[in-house]
């Protein structure tokens, strides 16, 4: 696994033999690792394991509004979709690196991603396996999602950065597109629910 290149069949899935390496994180972010590996990494980083010395948890990642986002600095850069990265983040089933908007668009085009049918945020996708995933993707930070739900206008113009990486959720492309098509309506319902709760307060 030298030179930052790792293939799924090269990555250990035996818990007794698992050792977290920078190459494994690069493979996860590029959708080249088995789902089992994401679970092993989660155990190592978030379930009482010892965080390797080459990884440093980031307390202030600039995205306080994104609940569940866990970010780490790498001592040495890894290569993700052809670009160096010194920071990696985890968000639910996502493993991502953050890039400035134009660099993210270049990766989106290079990887053949398509725009998801969501108006509330900017998101792109390409399924590695259409029936079960994983999904290579990119999405704008959702720091102001709650504010938007509460009726405040979203920041005008294109986002400054985007997250680019892999989503390991077990889902088909059809299921993803169906959920994406309903996302704006669901957000509208949530906004109305929040307004009703606020109006009901004394």
């Amino acid at each position: 696994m030298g030179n930052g290149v790792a293939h799924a069949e090269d990555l250990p899935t035996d818990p007794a033999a698992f050792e977290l390496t920078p190459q494994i994180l690069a493979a996860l972010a590029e959708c080249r690792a088995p789902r089992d590996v994401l679970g092993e990494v989660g155990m190592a980083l978030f379930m009482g394991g010892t965080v390797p010395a080459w990884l440093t948890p980031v307390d202030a990642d600039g995205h306080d509004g994104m609940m569940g986002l866990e970010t780490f600095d790498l001592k040495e850069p890894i290569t993700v979709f052809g670009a160096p990265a010194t920071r990696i983040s985890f968000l639910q089933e996502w493993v991502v690196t953050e890039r400035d908007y134009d660099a993210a668009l270049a990766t989106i085009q290079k990887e053949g991603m398509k725009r998801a049918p969501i108006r509330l945020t900017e998101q792109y996708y390409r399924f590695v396996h259409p029936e079960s995933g994983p999904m290579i993707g990119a999405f704008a930070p959702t720091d102001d999602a709650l504010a938007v739900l509460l009726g405040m206008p979203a920041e005008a113009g294109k986002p400054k950065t985007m997250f680019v990486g892999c989503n390991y959720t077990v889902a088909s492309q059809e299921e993803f597109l169906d959920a994406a098509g309903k996302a704006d309506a669901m957000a509208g319902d949530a906004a109305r629910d929040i307004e009703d709760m606020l109006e009901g307060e004394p």
Side-chain angles (χ1 to χ4, degrees):
M1 293 192 294
N3 299 321
V5 177
H7 299 282
E9 59 268 23
D10 298 326
L11 302 175
T13 57
D14 179 2
F18 183 80
E19 179 181 355
L20 180 57
T21 66
Q23 290 77 22
I24 286 177
L25 294 184
L28 281 170
E30 292 185 339
C31 283
R32 294 187 289 107
R35 286 187 175 90
D36 292 353
V37 172
L38 180 59
E40 295 294 341
V41 171
M43 292 290 290
L45 295 181
F46 308 117
M47 301 299 290
T50 302
V51 177
W54 47 268
L55 270 183
T56 303
V58 176
D59 293 327
D61 57 13
H63 299 291
D64 292 341
M66 295 183 64
M67 301 298 294
L69 183 71
E70 299 288 347
T71 302
F72 295 84
D73 279 335
L74 296 113
K75 188 174 182 179
E76 300 290 339
I78 58 175
T79 300
V80 178
F81 297 124
T86 57
R87 180 170 285 190
I88 193 159
S89 298
F90 301 85
L91 179 65
Q92 297 175 344
E93 298 295 311
W94 285 98
V95 182
V96 293
T97 61
E98 188 173 10
R99 304 186 177 184
D100 68 62
Y101 184 77
D102 290 337
L105 282 187
T107 301
I108 288 164
Q109 294 171 358
K110 178 183 174 183
E111 295 299 321
M113 298 185 224
K114 298 179 180 179
R115 178 76 183 260
I118 303 172
R119 294 190 303 274
L120 189 63
T121 187
E122 192 168 343
Q123 183 170 345
Y124 299 83
Y125 72 95
R126 177 171 68 81
F127 272 68
V128 177
H129 301 293
E131 296 305 316
S132 61
M135 180 186 82
I136 295 172
F139 59 94
T142 54
D143 303 275
D144 59 351
L146 180 58
V148 171
L149 286 177
L150 290 171
M152 297 176 64
E155 186 175 337
K158 66 183 182 183
K160 295 181 178 66
T161 64
M162 294 190 77
F163 289 103
V164 180
C166 184
N167 187 322
Y168 283 88
T169 301
V170 179
S172 69
Q173 179 171 303
E174 182 179 357
E175 290 169 333
F176 167 74
L177 291 175
D178 180 64
K182 298 174 181 175
D184 293 314
M186 292 176 64
D189 291 342
R192 284 187 288 273
D193 289 344
I194 291 172
E195 288 175 359
D196 290 344
M197 288 193 326
L198 293 176
E199 289 174 358
E201 291 183 355

